Amino acid sequence: ITRKANSSISLQQCRLARFSHPGSVAYAAVKGAIEVLTRYQAKELGACGIAVNVLALGAIETDVGGGRVRDNAEINAGIASQTALGRIGPPDDIGYAVAALFIEECRWINGHRIEASGGMYL
């Protein structure tokens, strides 16, 4: 890899790397591996001017899981009650967070897990 000015890589994961939920061990292990991968890539690619970060997503209103979080009012309310903002995130909330990692003003952020969860489990 040759040196590129202010390039970025953004990986995504969910919060299960840090919180336990029964029946999710394999899924959570992969998410934890993404955090380790992020740190190693940030160190190795930093010399080439490439920043690498991981965005840890909270509950988002998408089709993931058959759209249960978005479409089931009871599930939506239960999860929303666990966030400091009191709501589930729309997809745009994640899009803006990812976009922020690619702007010139954020080029110094490297090797970090950045949470975009509405303050879940604070």
Side-chain angles (χ1 to χ4, degrees):
I1 298 176
T2 58
R3 182 157 181 78
K4 304 270 185 190
N6 304 325
S7 297
S8 294
I9 296 171
S10 174
L11 305 171
Q12 279 76 50
Q13 66 154 190
C14 72
R15 300 177 46 79
L16 286 181
R18 303 254 172 121
F19 298 96
S20 302
H21 292 281
S24 300
V25 67
Y27 185 76
V30 170
K31 298 306 179 180
I34 290 172
E35 284 191 34
V36 174
L37 175 67
T38 298
R39 288 193 301 273
Y40 274 82
Q41 284 186 326
K43 181 76 170 179
E44 293 178 12
L45 299 176
C48 298
I50 301 171
V52 182
N53 294 288
V54 61
L55 194 64
L57 312 178
I60 304 298
E61 297 173 334
T62 67
D63 292 335
V64 172
R68 286 189 314 248
V69 171
R70 178 194 61 219
D71 301 335
N72 184 308
E74 186 176 329
I75 291 173
N76 190 302
I79 294 172
S81 73
Q82 298 173 33
T83 70
L85 294 178
R87 64 177 177 84
I88 302 297
D92 283 351
D93 283 354
I94 300 307
Y96 292 129
V98 171
L101 292 173
F102 289 89
I103 63 172
E104 181 75 16
E105 292 79 5
C106 291
R107 68 183 178 271
W108 191 239
I109 300 171
N110 187 32
H112 289 281
R113 176 185 187 272
I114 300 164
E115 185 139 339
S117 70
M120 192 168 210
Y121 301 129
L122 292 180

